[in-house]
Amino acid sequence: MKVTARRSWLAAVLAVVLTVTLLAACGKSESGNTKVTIGEVTRSLFYAPQYVAIANGFFEDEGIDIELTTTPGGDKTMTALLSGQIDVALVGSETSIYVYQQGADDPVINFAQLTQTDGTFLVARNPVEHFEWSSLKGVNFLGQRKGGMPQMAGEFTLKKHGIEPHQDLNLIQNIDFANIPAAFLSGTGEYVQLFEPQASIIEKDGKGYVIASFGVESGYLPYTVFMTKQSYINKNKDVVQGFTNAVRRAQLWVANHSPEEIADVVLPYFDNTDRDIAISAIKRYKEQGSYAQDPIVDEAEWNNLADIMTSAGELKERPAYDKLVDTSFAKESIEAITK
């Protein structure tokens, strides 16, 4: 059964939690501001508004000092959150559902959305003049991690176009998330599902060609969301509100600035990334509406997520929107911050 993998990693997460002392409240930094540690599931231009919020001092304006750490993979990010190593996770909403399905006493709550589409692109090893999804049948396809949102959105898209991923493709899923671009470059797969900036880098080097967007195909959903434990919210409502306000300001800033201007702000977070590559990636994400326009995780998007997870066989039952989503902070930020 497909939920077995979810149970395995979550069991490991909960085992770690039992051995770690949970942090009861936020600490203070040397500046006197409240220190909040964010664990991001990966470092990506897909998360440009987050880096804008940090670089432009929007969190500091709310009395928050951010410590940003990258915890590759949804399982590692959720382990860090549940064990108190981080205060807030930036990860796909599906991880909060996996925790809830295990009957967690302290559920993980989605409170501020950052991205609203899948962030991956279909990259072909060779040029494709007139791409049709049906042409993927029988190919060697380098996919993403089983049970993760990129893979589920990818499979949802393929099924929409009449392709059964585990029957019509030679689907390769045994490569760690961070090593997928290198595996493709070394010759694995005829097609690959990649995030930016890797997709643009490979395209610029002439080693692959971006031919479709899984974000466009799979529709709007709470793809990457800031979330934290219910207990953290209960003890730190003002901090969570200030955090959401900063996210809201960054979303408005990104909406009103060009890819070039955004790239110049976020590039310090991307060592050795070419400016033109960053601009190309940000432009793609802006044009397809990947960056959320506001922090609200709305119910229609949540239901689309549930449909995708159901299609992937990863749900025991439909996730409870009102139990895992708190829109109060997002709504207050929208009322308070209009420009």
Side-chain angles (χ1 to χ4, degrees):
M1 189 174 182
K2 290 188 177 182
V3 295
T4 302
R6 297 297 96 213
R7 290 171 180 160
S8 297
W9 79 253
L10 192 57
V13 168
L14 296 176
V16 170
V17 173
L18 291 176
T19 64
V20 178
T21 300
L22 300 181
L23 300 181
C26 302
K28 293 290 183 180
S29 66
E30 292 183 2
S31 67
N33 288 343
T34 299
K35 178 182 173 183
V36 175
T37 301
I38 300 173
E40 57 176 7
V41 68
T42 187
R43 179 62 54 90
S44 175
L45 290 163
F46 191 41
Y47 307 151
Q50 172 185 241
Y51 312 120
V52 165
I54 298 171
N56 284 354
F58 297 156
F59 286 110
E60 290 181 10
D61 291 345
E62 298 289 339
I64 298 171
D65 285 344
I66 293 295
E67 179 179 321
L68 182 63
T69 182
T70 304
T71 46
D75 52 351
K76 291 184 177 66
T77 303
M78 199 51 57
T79 298
L81 180 65
L82 294 178
S83 65
Q85 298 172 53
I86 61 175
D87 302 306
V88 173
L90 178 63
V91 65
S93 286
E94 79 282 359
T95 57
S96 67
I97 294 171
Y98 293 143
V99 171
Y100 181 73
Q101 286 187 151
Q102 298 302 311
D105 294 331
D106 192 2
V108 175
I109 306 300
N110 299 260
F111 68 88
Q113 184 165 325
L114 193 74
T115 64
Q116 61 186 10
T117 73
D118 179 84
T120 59
F121 297 88
L122 179 62
V123 179
R125 185 172 300 282
N126 299 307
V128 179
E129 189 171 348
H130 300 293
F131 172 68
E132 298 287 343
W133 287 93
S134 59
S135 66
L136 293 177
K137 290 186 176 181
V139 305
N140 296 317
F141 190 98
L142 180 52
Q144 295 280 330
R145 178 180 62 84
K146 181 185 179 300
M149 204 59 237
Q151 181 62 30
M152 289 191 290
E155 291 190 14
F156 183 80
T157 295
L158 292 168
K159 289 176 183 177
K160 187 175 79 170
H161 289 282
I163 299 171
E164 179 51 53
H166 296 276
Q167 296 176 12
D168 297 335
L169 305 173
N170 176 22
L171 184 59
I172 304 164
Q173 291 182 279
N174 61 347
I175 297 173
D176 290 340
F177 173 82
N179 296 325
I180 291 173
F184 183 72
L185 289 172
S186 69
T188 302
E190 300 165 71
Y191 292 83
V192 64
Q193 184 180 354
L194 289 178
F195 281 93
E196 292 284 16
Q198 288 80 14
S200 286
I201 291 171
I202 287 174
E203 188 171 54
K204 183 178 180 181
D205 291 343
K207 297 178 179 178
Y209 304 84
V210 176
I211 57 174
S213 165
F214 287 102
V216 169
E217 294 290 334
S218 56
Y220 290 120
L221 65 160
Y223 197 84
T224 323
V225 178
F226 290 109
M227 59 187 72
T228 190
K229 293 177 291 187
Q230 182 66 65
S231 60
Y232 185 93
I233 291 177
N234 293 343
K235 296 171 183 175
N236 303 286
K237 290 185 184 296
D238 289 346
V239 175
V240 176
Q241 186 62 64
F243 189 104
T244 308
N245 291 348
V247 172
R248 166 67 171 164
R249 287 181 63 191
Q251 290 170 332
L252 290 172
W253 194 95
V254 167
N256 293 316
H257 288 78
S258 68
E260 290 81 4
E261 291 170 313
I262 298 167
D264 288 339
V265 171
V266 306
L267 269 175
Y269 295 89
F270 296 88
D271 293 337
N272 303 316
T273 296
D274 182 84
R275 183 174 183 268
D276 289 341
I277 290 292
I279 292 169
S280 171
I282 293 167
K283 185 172 185 289
R284 277 196 174 119
Y285 285 136
K286 283 200 71 166
E287 286 180 345
Q288 69 180 35
S290 289
Y291 301 132
Q293 298 302 299
D294 60 57
I296 290 180
V297 178
D298 70 50
E299 195 162 4
E301 292 175 336
W302 187 263
N303 288 334
N304 190 30
L305 170 65
D307 290 342
I308 289 172
M309 293 182 71
T310 299
S311 176
E314 297 290 348
L315 282 184
K316 289 193 270 186
E317 58 185 30
R318 299 282 291 190
Y321 173 77
D322 59 345
K323 293 184 181 299
L324 298 181
V325 177
D326 185 340
T327 61
S328 64
F329 301 103
K331 289 177 178 176
E332 185 170 326
S333 75
I334 292 170
E335 291 179 5
I337 301 166
T338 57
K339 61 180 180 178

